[in-house]
Amino acid sequence: MKLSNEVREAVQLRAHGACEYCRLPQEASILPHQVDHIIGRQHRGSDDVANLCLCCVHCNLKKGPNIASIDPENGAVVALYHPRKHSWHEHFSAARDGTIEGLTSEGRATVQLLDMNDEDRARLRALLLRRNRYP
Ligand SMILES: [Zn+2]
């Protein structure tokens, strides 16, 4: 079932137009941000706004239906960062060079799975940081 425009708008407003994983502002992206099912439909995740988040195209493609990954520091299988249940600043930190550091197991696994520190993405974030437009 397709999400209603009302639901999409509510998700965008709640997120203040920024990707809820990498925090990229919509205005810094050529492609429109998408609405992501945090727990994917194939895992029986609902269409309720409590299971939705705003997501840039890059994060959404990398996340796909994943709900867990591996902490690169200790090899543990952990649940991904959950934008509705977790606080971004507890799990991530953005450095001046534009890279995002995972501060927890969930944060590190999410940074790695979503390839948040891809060179182009980090460079764009560094540029936005210098202009006080990030995060
Ligand atoms: Zn993103």
Side-chain angles (χ1 to χ4, degrees), residues 61-127:
L61 287 173
K62 294 287 180 177
K63 180 176 172 283
N66 291 294
I67 55 175
S69 190
I70 298 185
D71 179 354
E73 208 167 278
N74 58 28
V77 175
V78 292
L80 296 177
Y81 167 74
H82 191 301
R84 299 279 72 78
K85 292 181 179 168
H86 299 141
S87 150
W88 197 90
H89 291 283
E90 276 175 34
H91 292 273
F92 306 103
S93 169
R96 294 305 301 171
D97 68 357
T99 57
I100 294 177
E101 182 192 358
L103 303 175
T104 60
S105 249
E106 294 88 347
R108 288 187 293 272
T110 304
V111 165
Q112 181 170 268
L113 181 75
L114 274 50
D115 196 18
M116 286 185 185
N117 291 324
D118 163 89
E119 205 178 304
D120 291 342
R121 301 179 78 193
R123 200 178 305 127
L124 174 59
R125 280 193 296 267
L127 186 73

Side-chain angles (χ1 to χ4, degrees), residues 19 21-22 56 59 121:
C19 173
Y21 293 102
C22 74
C56 74
C59 285
R121 301 179 78 193

Side-chain angles (χ1 to χ4, degrees), residues 15-88:
H16 305 287
C19 173
E20 294 190 66
Y21 293 102
C22 74
R23 296 255 158 140
L24 182 73
Q26 173 62 75
E27 63 268 20
S29 174
I30 295 166
L31 299 168
H33 284 8
Q34 303 171 336
V35 174
D36 170 55
H37 283 75
I38 300 166
I39 305 296
R41 283 173 166 150
Q42 66 248 66
H43 300 293
R44 303 214 175 257
S46 80
D47 287 348
D48 191 277
V49 288
N51 186 45
L52 302 173
C53 74
L54 192 65
C55 193
C56 74
V57 171
H58 190 110
C59 285
N60 208 5
L61 287 173
K62 294 287 180 177
K63 180 176 172 283
N66 291 294
I67 55 175
S69 190
I70 298 185
D71 179 354
E73 208 167 278
N74 58 28
V77 175
V78 292
L80 296 177
Y81 167 74
H82 191 301
R84 299 279 72 78
K85 292 181 179 168
H86 299 141
S87 150
W88 197 90

